[in-house]
């Protein structure tokens, strides 16, 4: 089974006063500007960065605790909780649960963490590891103390998962390290087309969040999975009239670089990405991530439809659904055309309370969306655009 996050809860985080959002293998967030789609996606990026670089660093790069805390004039902790099936013995009945809670005390940021998982196969109960600021205590699922032992965190800035992952002993098993790996691997794709046009240094590895290494990532795909590149090229031909092939050549300069160019009908020489259209480059970045043979377990995509023709979105939805067998996909979109192609349980409608400013996510249950589609005979995107599912400006 592919690892996946099944639920995100957030409290007091930016506009997310209190939300509890169920996720499937492929989930699309829709809703007005400022309704909290990016804020929800960024919960995953925050937890990822905390897992990668430590909590302090994740806070610092965001401008501090006050920037992530909901600015409602009230005291309170920011609490982010992920539920999922990630570790080896997790199941729907016994999911993994990771909670990171941040607050302030005497001007300092304090944190609490909790990780609940099943350590062994079979009947055994889940166990909970917890950490406060400096000490790590082990407690049972029912809250009772299981061991008198407390261990100091390796560093007060790293996540508890990181500390336990290092221990990796018989007592804790592989749970914390598996969950840590899952978090650190999360991809948050938000292609920066200007950067993606630039020839990149030859390097192994996959596309980065801003697609600044698009050329190298595409070249890598052509090397490790020629069939994947062929399939990608077919997708591209379905979207771009006259596109024939993708070519690679070595670039100039001191470092070894790779230049990607597109063979187009009617032209005597291929067009480098530097001269390709905005939508072409962006589509290429998305398809490169979606065709990767070994993608990370979870891929987040910001504004997936940005710059793309409605017909290209048809191709993209098919590709995302197919890719979601290998990487869980959570994306934001503003496109009714894209939403028309979705099942009710793939749509999460986001709204925002006009008075309090808090995000209401989801503002409709999947069952309500399914019933509305069934009753009306309209496609889900049409219904959403008409306003009858919410998720439109008032
Ligand atoms: N610290 C904070 N406290 C309260 N609200 C915040 C905080 N930071 C940001 N916000 C709110 O979050 C809103 C932005 O939400 P977000 O970026 O998630 O919107 P979005 O749904 O992605 O919109 P778009 O479609 O335009 O990208 C801001 O307009 C602001 O009202
Ligand atoms: Mg946004």
């Amino acid at each position: 089974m592919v690892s996946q996050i099944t639920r995100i809860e957030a409290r007091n985080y930016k506009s997310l006063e209190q939300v509890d959002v169920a996720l499937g293998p492929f989930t699309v967030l829709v809703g007005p500007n400022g309704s909290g789609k990016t804020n929800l996606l960024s919960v995953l990026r925050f937890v990822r960065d905390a897992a990668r670089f430590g909590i302090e660093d994740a806070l610092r790069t965001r401008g501090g605790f006050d920037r992530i805390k909901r600015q409602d004039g009230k005291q309170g902790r920011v609490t982010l909780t992920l539920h999922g099936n990630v570790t080896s013995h997790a199941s729907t009945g016994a999911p993994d649960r990771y909670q990171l809670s941040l607050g302030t005390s005497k001007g300092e940021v304090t944190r609490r963490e909790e990780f609940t998982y099943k350590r062994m196969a079979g009947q055994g109960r889940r166990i909970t590891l917890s950490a406060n600021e400096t000490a790590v205590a082990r407690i049972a699922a029912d809250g009772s103390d299981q061991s008198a032992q407390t261990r100091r965190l390796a560093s007060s800035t790293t996540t508890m998962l990181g500390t336990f992952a290092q221990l990796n002993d018989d007592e804790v098993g592989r749970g914390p390290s598996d969950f840590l790996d899952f978090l650190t691997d999360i991809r948050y794709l938000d292609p920066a087309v200007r950067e993606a046009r630039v020839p990149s240094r030859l390097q192994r590895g996959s596309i980065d969040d801003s697609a600044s290494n698009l050329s190298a990532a595409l070249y890598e795909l052509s090397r490790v999975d020629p069939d994947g590149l062929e399939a990608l090229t077919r997708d591209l031909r379905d979207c771009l009239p006259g596109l024939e092939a993708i070519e690679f050549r070595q670039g100039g300069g001191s470092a070894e670089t790779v230049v990607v160019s597109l063979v187009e009908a009617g032209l005597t020489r291929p067009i480098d990405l530097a001269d390709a259209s905005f939508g072409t480059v962006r589509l290429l970045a998305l398809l490169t991530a979606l065709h990767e043979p070994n993608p990370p377990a979870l891929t987040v995509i910001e504004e997936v439809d940005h710059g793309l023709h409605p017909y290209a979105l048809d191709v993209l939805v098919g590709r995302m659904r197919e890719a979601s067998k290998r990487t869980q996909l959570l994306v934001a979109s503003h496109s009714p055309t894209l939403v028309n192609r979705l099942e009710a349980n793939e749509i999460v409608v986001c709204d925002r309370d006009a008075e309090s400013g808090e995000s209401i996510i989801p503002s409709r249950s999947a069952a309500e969306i399914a019933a509305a589609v069934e009753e009306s005979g309209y496609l889900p995107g049409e219904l959403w655009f008409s306003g009858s599912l919410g998720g439109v400006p008032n």
Side-chain angles (χ1 to χ4, degrees):
M1 193 181 65
V2 184
S3 297
Q4 70 174 36
I5 295 295
T6 50
R7 231 174 111 194
I8 301 175
E9 287 178 89
R11 292 216 58 170
N12 251 320
Y13 175 81
K14 300 194 179 190
S15 64
L16 311 178
E17 159 76 14
Q18 180 164 19
V19 302
D20 185 347
V21 187
L23 305 180
F26 175 35
T27 308
V28 179
L29 308 179
V30 296
N33 295 123
S35 57
K37 302 181 295 297
T38 296
N39 291 345
L40 183 67
L41 300 180
S42 78
V43 167
L44 291 166
R45 184 160 60 176
F46 182 76
V47 176
R48 176 196 72 179
D49 289 352
R52 274 189 192 170
F53 310 117
I55 295 167
E56 227 175 61
D57 194 89
L59 279 175
R60 194 171 39 241
T61 52
R62 285 160 177 80
F65 177 78
D66 286 349
R67 295 284 293 283
I68 65 157
K69 157 88 176 68
R70 185 162 147 73
Q71 293 302 298
D72 53 5
K74 296 182 204 149
Q75 289 283 322
R77 301 183 69 82
V78 173
T79 305
L80 309 173
T81 314
L82 305 182
H83 305 255
N85 297 319
V86 172
T87 63
S88 327
H89 309 303
S91 61
T92 312
D96 301 312
R97 177 181 176 279
Y98 174 64
Q99 184 172 79
L100 174 61
S101 174
L102 301 167
T104 49
S105 167
K106 301 186 192 107
E108 296 220 327
V109 178
T110 64
R111 56 78 183 271
R112 293 177 205 142
E113 283 176 274
E114 234 177 59
F115 180 53
T116 303
Y117 66 112
K118 232 170 145 240
R119 187 161 57 82
M120 287 181 295
Q123 287 299 309
R125 285 193 309 175
R126 294 192 298 164
I127 60 169
T128 298
L129 307 172
S130 68
N132 59 25
E133 212 174 357
T134 53
V136 182
R138 197 163 301 169
I139 52 170
D142 60 9
S144 64
D145 227 339
Q146 232 179 19
S147 95
Q149 191 185 16
T150 57
R151 305 185 191 197
R152 290 190 69 78
L153 283 170
S155 145
S156 62
T157 59
T158 185
T159 61
M160 172 194 80
L161 289 171
T163 306
F164 276 110
Q166 276 172 17
L167 296 174
N168 217 348
D169 58 16
D170 284 351
E171 246 179 299
V172 297
R174 292 201 48 83
S177 70
D178 286 350
F179 204 84
L180 182 75
D181 288 347
F182 176 90
L183 293 182
T184 40
D185 266 6
I186 291 174
R187 169 177 285 161
Y188 193 104
L189 194 61
D190 189 5
V193 168
R194 214 152 61 132
E195 291 174 37
R197 291 177 186 284
V198 180
S200 27
R201 276 178 81 121
L202 263 184
Q203 70 194 156
R204 291 281 171 85
S206 48
I207 193 160
D208 62 35
D209 283 4
S210 61
S212 66
N213 65 342
L214 173 61
S215 303
L218 254 178
Y219 180 67
E220 178 75 357
L221 181 69
S222 76
R223 235 177 38 80
V224 301
D225 185 11
D227 292 346
L229 183 73
E230 192 44 51
L232 182 153
T233 308
R234 279 197 299 274
D235 283 348
L236 215 53
R237 283 193 202 113
D238 288 343
C239 300
L240 307 172
L243 182 105
E244 290 175 354
I246 299 172
E247 282 189 351
F248 302 95
R249 69 169 194 278
Q250 205 178 323
S254 52
E256 268 200 39
T257 59
V258 57
V259 182
V260 170
S261 56
L262 304 174
V263 181
E264 297 177 16
L267 301 182
T268 51
R269 70 172 180 85
I271 296 295
D272 290 351
L273 288 192
D275 298 316
S277 81
F278 178 94
T280 299
V281 177
R282 195 160 183 284
L283 183 62
L284 202 50
L286 299 179
L287 290 176
T288 302
L290 293 170
H291 278 282
E292 199 181 306
N294 295 305
L298 173 59
T299 301
V300 173
I301 309 178
E302 261 289 11
E303 308 271 1
V304 71
D305 51 280
H306 181 46
L308 302 184
H309 187 276
Y311 282 20
L313 293 180
D314 274 357
V315 173
L316 200 60
V317 169
R319 186 55 56 214
M320 286 194 285
R321 198 170 279 125
E322 198 264 340
S324 71
K325 294 177 191 142
R326 291 172 294 128
T327 178
Q328 182 179 18
L329 277 163
L330 175 60
V331 311
S333 172
H334 282 302
S335 165
T337 312
L338 187 148
V339 176
N340 276 341
R341 299 287 174 267
L342 302 178
E343 306 290 332
N345 61 6
E346 293 171 331
I347 305 166
V348 169
V349 180
C350 305
D351 265 312
R352 183 184 162 129
D353 186 288
E355 266 156 44
S356 68
E358 72 187 72
S359 294
I360 303 161
I361 311 178
S363 72
R364 293 286 188 288
S365 71
E368 286 171 314
I369 297 173
V373 169
E374 171 86 30
E375 257 166 52
S376 67
Y378 286 110
L379 291 169
E382 295 170 332
L383 265 190
W384 163 52
F385 191 65
S386 75
S388 50
L389 291 182
V392 294
N394 294 325

